[in-house]
Amino acid sequence: MIYKRSSALFAEAEKVIPGGVNSPVRAFKGVGGTPVFVKEAKGAYLYDEDGNRLIDYINSWGPMILGHAYEPVVNAVVEKAKKGTSFGMPTEIETKIAELAVDMVPNIDKIRFVNSGTEACMSAVRLARGYTGKDKIIKFAGCYHGHSDSFLIQAGSGASTFGTPNSPGVTQGTAKDTLLADYNHINSVETLINANKNEIACVIIEPVAGNMGCIPPKKEFLSALKRLCDTNKILLVFDEVMTGFRLAKGGTQELYGIDADIVCFGKVIGGGLPVGAFAARNEIMNHLAPLGPVYQAGTLSGNPLAMAAGLAMLTALNTDAAVFDRLAKKTEYLHKGMAKVLSDHDIVHTINRVGSMISVHFDEGEVYDFTSAAKGNNGTFKKFFHGMLKEGVYIAPSAFETWFLTDALTYEDLDFTINAVNKVAKNI
Ligand SMILES: *Cc1c(COP(=O)(O)O)cnc(C)c1O
């Protein structure tokens, strides 16, 4: 495949945009080479600026669960746009999508719309702090909750010590209020809670982790977490920006039967437009301005185009009862096909999968937390990524990212992909 035009466009972009991209993971830093510039996309396929067709396993990092340029979403946006694109005043469609979301997701009474997953998580934590009157939060190593200051914290030498900022620009003052636990290790949470009695407002977690590859919660981990939170009057915040409306209508809460106190959304809920949201029961949501004292706002929040896209997407997912099952079956088929081919070529690997989220780790043994995820062989991943790209299959340009399947994928596409893995595996 030829990437002449993509390379030229990237060189132009680098002159006026830092690193040539508006979000770092797009820059291919983890795998080397220059990013592919997209011209257009339809269904399961991307078409790049050089005329190559790629089967897409990123799908805008999740939102395009029914495929690119999905007609009901496109039509809804086009029709709305003709009637004005923003008012800064209430519109009926905001209530319509809120009603549908509250209906689809268990355990929530009210939902507030924002413009990104970052905003949703940031606001959820403020609400948790305002509601409980406590300052500290617990997050897990390897979980991503957007780029707001409180979340850009990584492990120090011990999980019980205060976090240190992950990025310059995050102050020590902010970092000291974020405590770091280990995913799937309930004891690490217990230790932090005991060392910070009555100081912790919330525990925020990706209930199925997707930002260190796909890592499912171990059996009983989430229920134990829920019990610990309840006992200590700590709010449990499920960051379902990735998993919401993807793993089930009601996300992870439905899949595992566990009620969170606050739930964050993004990605699928916007149907490919910039949307995030957070939701909870009345008791908590009524603390938000203008009903309560916790402030949160947005000029473009509930934007009519974004709401139209989101409503069309959620409506489609709500009316097609079989969609999540169909997606899980396709993902299982891909999993089995890839596992066989990689094993045939003696390539050490572990594949994790939940619903339509899947990732391939090039290491042996169970991958269940950040430490085990970080052990993967990045050299092998780079070869795998570039090999797949050459075969016309686009996976995330980082070993720490989940692949997201779209229902637009056919079994022929999946066979094409497995066959590509077979060709690539020969040369690893
Ligand atoms: C993508 C993501 C976010 C951030 O959402 P943005 O829309 O990129 O700000 C937060 N949490 C999780 C789990 C995500 O996957």
Side-chain angles (χ1 to χ4, degrees), residues 389-404:
L389 187 57
K390 225 166 137 189
E391 296 298 330
V393 179
Y394 193 68
I395 60 171
S398 158
F400 288 104
E401 301 286 357
T402 299
W403 314 4
F404 302 98

Side-chain angles (χ1 to χ4, degrees), residues 371-387:
T371 309
S372 48
K375 280 193 327 197
N377 186 327
N378 204 41
T380 306
F381 180 81
K382 281 184 198 175
K383 283 189 216 159
F384 182 70
F385 171 83
H386 283 292

Side-chain angles (χ1 to χ4, degrees), residues 61 115-119 121 144-147 206 211 239-242 266-267 275 404:
W61 305 95
N115 305 293
S116 68
T118 295
E119 258 190 85
C121 296
Y144 180 67
H145 306 293
H147 65 92
E206 290 180 63
N211 284 290
D239 176 356
E240 298 228 41
V241 169
M242 203 176 256
K267 300 192 168 116
V275 180
F404 302 98

Side-chain angles (χ1 to χ4, degrees), residues 141-142 181-185 209 212 214-216 218 352 361 366-375 400:
D182 293 321
Y183 202 83
N184 273 327
H185 299 262
M212 44 183 163
C214 174
I215 297 190
K218 284 189 178 172
N352 280 0
H361 302 262
E366 202 190 346
V367 178
Y368 58 92
D369 62 6
F370 187 60
T371 309
S372 48
K375 280 193 327 197
F400 288 104

Side-chain angles (χ1 to χ4, degrees), residues 26-325:
R26 297 177 196 167
F28 276 31
K29 284 272 183 210
V31 290
T34 56
V36 178
F37 274 58
V38 183
K39 188 165 189 192
E40 57 190 284
K42 180 73 191 164
Y45 309 124
L46 297 166
Y47 300 90
D48 72 13
E49 289 282 357
D50 288 282
N52 304 306
R53 190 199 83 170
L54 301 165
I55 299 183
D56 187 9
Y57 284 95
I58 305 188
N59 288 292
S60 187
W61 305 95
M64 321 317 290
I65 189 168
L66 300 177
H68 289 284
Y70 180 64
E71 255 170 52
V73 169
V74 172
N75 293 341
V77 172
V78 169
E79 286 313 308
K80 263 288 172 224
K82 290 179 188 162
K83 295 175 180 162
T85 57
S86 182
F87 313 110
M89 294 165 73
T91 53
E92 186 182 5
I93 195 168
E94 294 164 79
T95 310
K96 287 257 167 357
I97 184 174
E99 283 171 347
L100 183 54
V102 165
D103 185 50
M104 290 172 79
V105 177
N107 192 40
I108 62 171
D109 297 322
K110 290 196 175 98
I111 184 164
R112 169 70 56 90
F113 286 93
V114 293
N115 305 293
S116 68
T118 295
E119 258 190 85
C121 296
M122 180 186 84
S123 308
V125 164
R126 184 181 305 142
L127 179 57
R129 285 172 164 154
Y131 178 78
T132 59
K134 299 185 274 187
D135 286 348
K136 291 181 183 171
I137 65 170
I138 293 178
K139 79 174 280 287
F140 292 87
C143 280
Y144 180 67
H145 306 293
H147 65 92
S148 91
D149 287 2
S150 307
F151 302 126
L152 292 180
I153 310 299
Q154 74 182 3
S157 50
S160 58
T161 55
F162 289 131
T164 50
N166 203 309
S167 162
V170 177
T171 65
Q172 284 294 340
T174 298
K176 77 172 172 40
D177 285 331
T178 301
L179 309 174
L180 213 76
D182 293 321
Y183 202 83
N184 273 327
H185 299 262
I186 197 68
N187 290 347
S188 73
V189 183
E190 223 166 345
T191 307
L192 288 175
I193 291 177
N194 289 335
N196 298 272
K197 276 279 176 215
N198 300 319
E199 291 187 273
I200 297 167
C202 69
V203 173
I204 185 167
I205 186 166
E206 290 180 63
V208 172
N211 284 290
M212 44 183 163
C214 174
I215 297 190
K218 284 189 178 172
K219 207 168 176 287
E220 302 303 329
F221 174 63
L222 292 179
S223 52
L225 193 58
K226 168 75 179 153
R227 265 199 310 279
L228 257 185
C229 285
D230 285 350
T231 310
N232 293 281
K233 297 197 164 46
I234 293 169
L235 297 187
L236 178 59
V237 181
F238 271 10
D239 176 356
E240 298 228 41
V241 169
M242 203 176 256
T243 52
F245 306 102
R246 170 165 286 278
L247 296 185
K249 260 192 214 181
T252 314
Q253 287 194 104
E254 178 187 323
L255 193 66
Y256 295 115
I258 291 174
D259 289 348
D261 295 303
I262 305 179
V263 191
C264 305
F265 298 105
K267 300 192 168 116
V268 175
I269 201 173
L273 267 77
V275 180
F278 58 105
R281 294 182 310 275
N282 282 325
E283 185 196 340
I284 295 173
M285 286 310 267
N286 291 351
H287 273 66
L288 265 190
L291 274 184
V294 177
Y295 196 69
Q296 187 281 321
T299 300
L300 291 175
S301 292
N303 172 270
L305 301 193
M307 296 295 97
L311 180 60
M313 176 61 83
L314 296 197
T315 302
L317 295 173
N318 193 41
T319 35
D320 183 354
V323 65
F324 298 105
D325 204 39

